[in-house]
Amino acid sequence: MPLIRISMRRGRPASHPAAIIDGVYRALRTTFEVPENDLFAVVHQHDADEFVFDANFFGFQRSAGLVIIQITVANTRGVTQKKALFAAIAANLQQEPGLKPDDIFINLLEVKRENWSFGGGVAQYVA
């Protein structure tokens, strides 16, 4: 049930968005036990003046290659699973498409299961 939102600067190679989606999805499948075919992702590409960040916040060395990943999930996982997810995403994205670790920013949003409707105007998890 995760909803993946990926934001980055415009101008990356055409293969990068798909590789990033794949890396995040594989990490979710292994660490959050997301079922096969439960993939919903959107990619937002921005001009430089629309994608603003501090290059050194928290001691990192971010570049124009920064990717911001926001994942909305049900609030059913503990800290151990979340840490595993973050590590798996970083490892996957370093491998393909070759992101620098400092350029991987992840934000997890947790919502109650009753806040999801997968279609038809029905709250499938509480119907």
Side-chain angles (χ1 to χ4, degrees):
M1 90 181 70
L3 172 60
I4 305 165
R5 294 184 174 276
I6 298 166
S7 298
M8 64 185 83
R9 282 191 179 168
R10 196 176 316 282
R12 292 180 165 279
S15 62
H16 279 204
I20 294 167
I21 290 169
D22 180 66
V24 172
Y25 178 61
R26 285 187 294 114
L28 283 162
R29 297 240 323 122
T30 59
T31 63
F32 274 27
E33 301 172 5
V34 169
E36 186 175 357
N37 300 320
D38 187 356
L39 175 59
F40 298 89
V42 292
V43 176
H44 307 277
Q45 296 190 42
H46 306 272
D47 293 328
D49 64 337
E50 301 171 332
F51 191 76
V52 180
F53 58 90
D54 186 293
N56 304 112
F57 185 73
F58 249 97
F60 291 97
Q61 301 297 313
R62 296 179 188 88
S63 73
L66 175 69
V67 174
I68 298 175
I69 301 160
Q70 187 173 65
I71 308 168
T72 304
V73 296
N75 60 347
T76 58
R77 281 112 179 160
V79 172
T80 301
Q81 273 185 296
K82 293 172 192 176
K83 287 180 166 182
L85 173 66
F86 298 154
I89 290 172
N92 288 350
L93 299 186
Q94 287 173 68
Q95 183 177 15
E96 183 64 35
L99 298 183
K100 295 181 352 181
D102 285 4
D103 284 337
I104 303 168
F105 182 108
I106 305 165
N107 174 238
L108 196 61
L109 296 176
E110 296 180 297
V111 300
K112 294 180 180 180
R113 293 175 68 85
E114 65 203 40
N115 293 330
W116 294 91
S117 173
F118 295 96
V122 176
Q124 282 81 8
Y125 285 127
V126 294

